[in-house]
Amino acid sequence: MKIKKRGYVFPLILLATISIAFFIITLVQLQSSHHNQLMHLNSYQQALNVAYSVNVDIIGEIREKQWANRFFKGKPVIRTGQKLFGTTYDMAVEDHEPDKCTFNVKIRTTIGEKRNLFYWRQRYVPNMLDFTRVSFPVFFGEFPPELFEPAKKAEIDKLVDDALQKAADNQNKVTQIVKNISTKPTPQDILKELGAIPPGKSSTDIQDSAQPRPAATKPPTKESTATKPKTSDLVTEIRTFIDPLDTQSFPVAGKNICGSDLMIRDAPWGNVIGQIPPYTGGVQVSGLQGDFFEVSYNGKSGYSHINYVEVPGHTPSGIEPPRPPGAPPPL
Amino acid sequence: MTSTRKGLTLLELTIGLFLVGGAAVIYLQSMQSSRQKNEFYSEHFIASIMAAKVVEACFQETEINPYGVEALGLADGNGKPFKFSTLVTDGQTSFFKQPEITKDKTPFLYNMFQKDFMLNITTENSSTRHFTLNTAFKWKANTGPGAFHYDCRFPGYSAKKEVQTTYAFPESKLEKKVVERIFEEKNKNLGTIVSSPATREVAMATGRIYFTCAGMMNSTAFSSALKRAEEIDESGCPPTDPRYGEATDLFFSVARDVLDVLVFLQPHIETINKDIGTTDSLNLRNRSRLELYIYNSTMGLEEIKKLFFVCVHEAASRYRALMKASQDIRQQRAIIQRCLDMHRLMFAAREFADGAFTSGAADTIIKSEYYEFLADLEKYFSDKDQTIVRLAAQEKKFAQSNLLTKRYFACDLVEKIFATLATLKTKLPEIDPGTLDPKSDVIGKPLGDGTRSGALTWAKDQMTNGTGEGINTNNGLKVKDDIAAWNNWCLAFVSTAWGRKINELMEMSAITTYENFKKAGKIKTDKKPPAGAIMYTGPTGGNPHGHIFLATGKYNSDNDPIVITTGGPGLDGVTEMPLSQLVSWCNASYLGWTLPPDAK
């Protein structure tokens, strides 16, 4: 008797082995991918946390030393191989436009093999009325880590400048888009306006897109109804105490506005050494001493009272000044 | 014979079963292991996201609130950090209140977080620059206990901020300016004029204040900002008009510049306040000059303070309206931060805001508007932004407990500046305005010459010891012939003293001339009239025309101005008397004074 074998076992073993191998490989890959994803997320968040923390410290340092004495004034400060929270980082901070109180901060973090470069352009707020605000970011972005190197400064600054310029160029367009969509009654209309419907889709494919948008609520905050003095009246009042004359530049041409001869004295409240005829111009005014202009007229140099001499930016009161206490009596 | 076997041998079956069983065991074990690892990764992943959310919440909080760490419950009222450990479900921590993790809304998350999933936050305030937050999650997974943490720094509240003002008078030029302008000298060191070091400091401080304020008030940028802001304000444009925002920013920039100047001047105000008494060491002329400048600087600052309150109140009020017009929450947050700073300053210094409002008590207005603003924020943002709700609640607590000056350096500083200014005002010397040189050429003349010294000299010449040659053209009489020549002719007397050259005095009644000056904004109501000034009392039942008279520029020991008046019922001739006596004689109220320029 001849038995014909069909060979079940070997293919079965082979098949089972291959299936199990593939299955295990798939599982391992899947777990590895989850692990990598988690590590990547954690390491990026860690890098961002470290960069943010370093930036907080930089702002704290500016605040302690104040803007005029900032630690990077006039020359960039670069610190490499620093450690924070177990992460290594390099930091560079430098003035951008000091007259506008702007400065750049570059922070490059290294976690394992992974490097990230974060860039802030910030503006220091030097006024006291915004006293809780030390600075605000003008720009924040992430760049290839090699751009941290000082030799690449121009390159990275240009990228930032271009991005800011682009944003400025687009500002009107953005404002117009916002204005246009603000009046659209449904999400569907907004998607149409923005051209944001994917190819092959229609706006009706998007759930509830034809439903009217809920009305926007507004904060109840409002203007004050309290009445205040006019600022121009206050300025007039201030000027009764603070004479605008003190910012006058000399020499200037002046004029006697007095209806009678104006005295030229040898010193403030000193002896009379000459006169300027009524309503006469061509008086050279070269300085201010006490309440008297230093004047020269017709070869005579001396002092005439500011109440009677008109110069650009100063309208004399024309009021006769009293002789101050302690001034020598007239001869 | 060939036999074809249809079944399996026992051996084959056994091998097959072993293989299938083995595969099943490997499969199940792999599945079990994979499930556990996936669960572990999933929980780790969620913990990581949740920790990132906590970090983000701290960022959001501290971005707008310098005491955000405290508002989040991570530090006490003194900034001392707490250790924080809690479950995250059912609103047990402020970080996961919006949206809340509840059994109904988020069952998967809820079940997961019920597994002893604890949020632990350790805060360190190792430096004034920052708080360091360690945000950790610990949990018990099937694969064993899990743990995850993030470290991050957030700004701490530093008490100081530098102020930059572009209006500071240059130090290099200050001494020369003080010597020339205040002390009327040239090419001298201040030390040769003022020997006392303390007085020199007072003189320099006075100069810094006076010339810095002058620089600000005369700056084109400053004046044009104020002018433009007022123009737009008067046009009444609504918050949706771009000009509204422009005016708001201009009012803000003026208030900002004024505040920066005030803060810059603060130590110098202190110096004067401390050493004002040392001016006694100067000679009369130098002392009176320095005292005049101290007086003008202080009173100028007093008015500048009012300008600050008006502008800062206007800006805050307008930003509130702009906030209502804006639908961008980022913009709203920026406005809130700015508005709060302005309200805080006003609130802290409200006691010194007299004159900032034309009606109502400044203190009440500032207080009620601040509380109203905070209540509006709490209500409106309750379902939108918890950072603002917490900030508003915290702020209310600060205000109610008078903690603003303790919490914010700027509030403390501004309150101190204004308090010092108020104290300094009480120490200001009486300013001797000096005397007019008498005009001998009007003595014995029928009328004055149109100058203030002429008016005063002529008026005195009509008194008992004078020539009495002045002629009342209404009745043709002179005092030398009839002591009552000017009785009941007060307007004619004053007009004649001024040489009948003042147009505003060419009227039939004294009160009409007062109205003329008042309409032109030339009436001052204080009781410090300079020599020759024209003064008024109001009409009475018996005298509907009011009364007009002249100031001598002198004062009695009660600081009552001495005036020269014509007679009337019960009083003959031209007489000198204190203002209070004249008011009593007229039985009328004092209206004020004006000083016209010398007639051309």
Side-chain angles (χ1 to χ4, degrees), chain B residues 190-220:
Chain B
L190 186 59
T192 61
I193 303 167
V194 184
S195 56
S196 152
T199 317
R200 270 204 303 276
E201 283 305 310
V202 170
M204 290 292 276
T206 306
R208 268 184 211 104
I209 295 171
Y210 188 89
F211 302 125
T212 298
C213 291
M216 179 175 73
M217 296 312 297
N218 295 328
S219 142
T220 314

Side-chain angles (χ1 to χ4, degrees), chain A residues 222 224 231 290 294 320 323, chain B residues 186 230 369 435 452-453:
Chain A
K222 52 188 174 292
S224 169
T231 52
E294 291 177 55
E320 186 184 351
R323 182 171 288 269
Chain B
K186 210 168 180 187
E230 195 168 276
E369 285 185 1
T435 51
R452 57 191 288 219
S453 57

Side-chain angles (χ1 to χ4, degrees), chain A residues 51-289:
Chain A
Y52 177 78
S53 301
V54 174
N55 189 45
V56 163
D57 226 22
I58 289 169
I59 293 168
E61 202 170 339
I62 294 172
R63 195 165 44 182
E64 276 176 9
K65 293 184 178 172
Q66 309 297 350
W67 180 254
N69 303 316
R70 60 196 179 278
F71 63 99
F72 52 89
K73 187 179 182 180
K75 62 173 179 5
V77 170
I78 299 171
R79 294 171 188 160
T80 55
Q82 306 289 303
K83 292 270 183 196
L84 183 66
F85 307 139
T87 300
T88 307
Y89 71 89
D90 307 319
M91 177 275 274
V93 54
E94 65 200 354
D95 278 329
H96 178 62
E97 290 177 306
D99 53 327
K100 291 181 183 165
C101 299
T102 54
F103 59 103
N104 299 330
V105 174
K106 283 180 278 187
I107 296 160
R108 182 170 64 183
T109 57
T110 307
I111 299 175
E113 295 297 309
K114 181 75 182 159
R115 284 180 150 193
N116 292 88
L117 174 60
F118 300 96
Y119 184 109
W120 278 270
R121 179 166 292 168
Q122 299 175 85
R123 177 167 290 153
Y124 178 77
V125 182
N127 77 75
M128 188 58 85
L129 199 47
D130 280 317
F131 62 91
T132 57
R133 203 168 203 197
V134 180
S135 64
F136 65 89
V138 177
F139 174 89
F140 170 70
E142 213 186 327
F143 292 102
E146 58 274 15
L147 290 182
F148 178 83
E149 302 307 328
K152 305 269 186 179
K153 176 184 156 37
E155 197 179 326
I156 195 166
D157 282 352
K158 187 174 181 313
L159 288 173
V160 174
D161 290 342
D162 289 349
L164 287 169
Q165 187 57 49
K166 200 173 167 189
D169 293 344
N170 284 335
Q171 189 54 48
N172 287 341
K173 212 170 158 185
V174 170
T175 311
Q176 192 55 47
I177 291 171
V178 169
K179 199 176 167 189
N180 288 348
I181 65 170
S182 66
T183 56
K184 302 293 175 196
T186 65
Q188 198 175 74
D189 297 320
I190 293 174
L191 290 171
K192 275 184 198 163
E193 175 70 28
L194 296 174
I197 299 165
K201 293 267 179 188
S202 110
S203 57
T204 51
D205 296 337
I206 299 160
Q207 197 185 356
D208 294 337
S209 68
Q211 295 293 316
R213 288 198 296 160
T217 56
K218 289 181 174 180
T221 53
K222 52 188 174 292
E223 259 189 286
S224 169
T225 53
T227 52
K228 299 183 284 289
K230 283 176 70 174
T231 52
S232 50
D233 291 343
L234 289 171
V235 168
T236 308
E237 196 60 31
I238 293 165
R239 287 192 168 152
T240 61
F241 298 109
I242 308 283
D243 196 332
L245 196 53
D246 281 290
T247 50
Q248 181 70 50
S249 304
F250 300 104
V252 285
K255 181 186 173 186
N256 169 22
I257 57 114
C258 181
S260 52
D261 286 345
L262 175 61
M263 287 172 272
I264 300 178
R265 298 171 185 268
D266 62 359
W269 296 108
N271 299 321
V272 178
I273 55 170
Q275 278 94 26
I276 304 169
Y279 310 123
T280 302
V283 179
Q284 197 193 344
V285 180
S286 54
L288 180 65
Q289 196 171 322

Side-chain angles (χ1 to χ4, degrees), chain B residues 242-279:
Chain B
R243 290 178 306 152
Y244 188 93
E246 184 194 344
T248 309
D249 291 341
L250 287 170
F251 278 117
F252 177 85
S253 69
V254 170
R256 177 199 63 201
D257 288 352
V258 170
L259 181 62
D260 288 351
V261 161
L262 287 170
V263 172
F264 166 73
L265 294 175
Q266 185 258 343
H268 311 300
I269 302 170
E270 292 277 2
T271 300
I272 302 177
N273 188 43
K274 183 165 68 77
D275 288 329
I276 190 170
T278 64
T279 56

Side-chain angles (χ1 to χ4, degrees), chain A residues 1-4 6 8-9 12-13 20 23-24 27 30-31 34-35 38 41-42 45-46 49 52-53 56-57 60-61 63-64 66-68 84-85 101 124-134 216-232 234-235 237-247 257 259 265 268-269 279 288-291 294 303 306 308 317-328 330, chain B residues 1 3 19 23 26-27 30-31 34 37-38 41 44-45 48 52 55 59 66 128-130 132 148 150-156 158 160-164 177 180-181 184-186 210-211 214-215 217-218 226 230 234 244 252 255-256 259-260 284-285 288-289 296 299 303-304 310 313-314 317 320-321 323-324 332 337-338 341 344-345 355-359 369 372-373 376 380 384 408-410 432-435 437 452-453 595 597-598 600:
Chain A
M1 194 174 75
K2 198 175 171 185
I3 297 171
K4 193 177 177 183
R6 293 287 175 94
Y8 285 103
V9 176
L12 201 62
I13 292 170
I20 290 166
F23 178 70
I24 290 171
L27 279 180
L30 199 66
Q31 282 164 12
H34 283 159
H35 181 257
L38 187 64
L41 178 81
N42 289 350
Q45 181 70 41
Q46 173 71 0
N49 286 352
Y52 177 78
S53 301
V56 163
D57 226 22
E61 202 170 339
R63 195 165 44 182
E64 276 176 9
Q66 309 297 350
W67 180 254
L84 183 66
F85 307 139
C101 299
Y124 178 77
V125 182
N127 77 75
M128 188 58 85
L129 199 47
D130 280 317
F131 62 91
T132 57
R133 203 168 203 197
V134 180
T217 56
K218 289 181 174 180
T221 53
K222 52 188 174 292
E223 259 189 286
S224 169
T225 53
T227 52
K228 299 183 284 289
K230 283 176 70 174
T231 52
S232 50
L234 289 171
V235 168
E237 196 60 31
I238 293 165
R239 287 192 168 152
T240 61
F241 298 109
I242 308 283
D243 196 332
L245 196 53
D246 281 290
T247 50
I257 57 114
R265 298 171 185 268
W269 296 108
Y279 310 123
L288 180 65
Q289 196 171 322
D291 295 336
E294 291 177 55
Y303 297 86
I306 57 173
Y308 295 115
S317 66
I319 292 173
E320 186 184 351
R323 182 171 288 269
Chain B
M1 186 180 115
S3 161
L19 283 172
I26 292 169
Y27 173 80
S30 296
M31 280 301 289
S34 175
K37 279 191 176 171
N38 277 342
Y41 285 137
H44 213 90
F45 186 79
S48 153
V55 171
F59 167 75
T128 54
R129 290 183 197 164
H130 56 251
T132 302
F148 178 82
Y150 276 139
D151 286 303
C152 195
R153 284 179 176 169
F154 295 96
S158 166
K160 287 181 184 174
K161 185 175 182 182
E162 176 204 32
V163 163
Q164 291 186 324
K177 186 79 177 166
E180 289 183 358
R181 185 74 161 115
E184 307 172 290
E185 297 280 6
K186 210 168 180 187
Y210 188 89
F211 302 125
M217 296 312 297
N218 295 328
L226 258 181
E230 195 168 276
E234 283 172 356
Y244 188 93
F252 177 85
R256 177 199 63 201
L259 181 62
D260 288 351
L284 177 62
R285 185 165 177 187
S288 66
R289 288 291 296 173
N296 282 342
M299 297 310 290
E303 295 301 318
I304 287 172
V310 167
H313 180 267
E314 188 62 33
S317 162
R320 293 200 304 268
M323 198 175 123
K324 191 174 186 174
Q332 286 175 347
Q337 190 176 11
R338 183 166 267 193
D341 278 351
R344 284 172 186 137
L345 287 176
F357 301 95
T358 47
S359 61
E369 285 185 1
E372 191 183 358
F373 179 51
D376 286 344
Y380 179 71
K384 295 176 183 68
Y408 298 105
F409 161 72
D432 184 342
T435 51
D437 290 342
R452 57 191 288 219
S453 57
L595 183 62
D598 292 351
K600 292 178 181 175

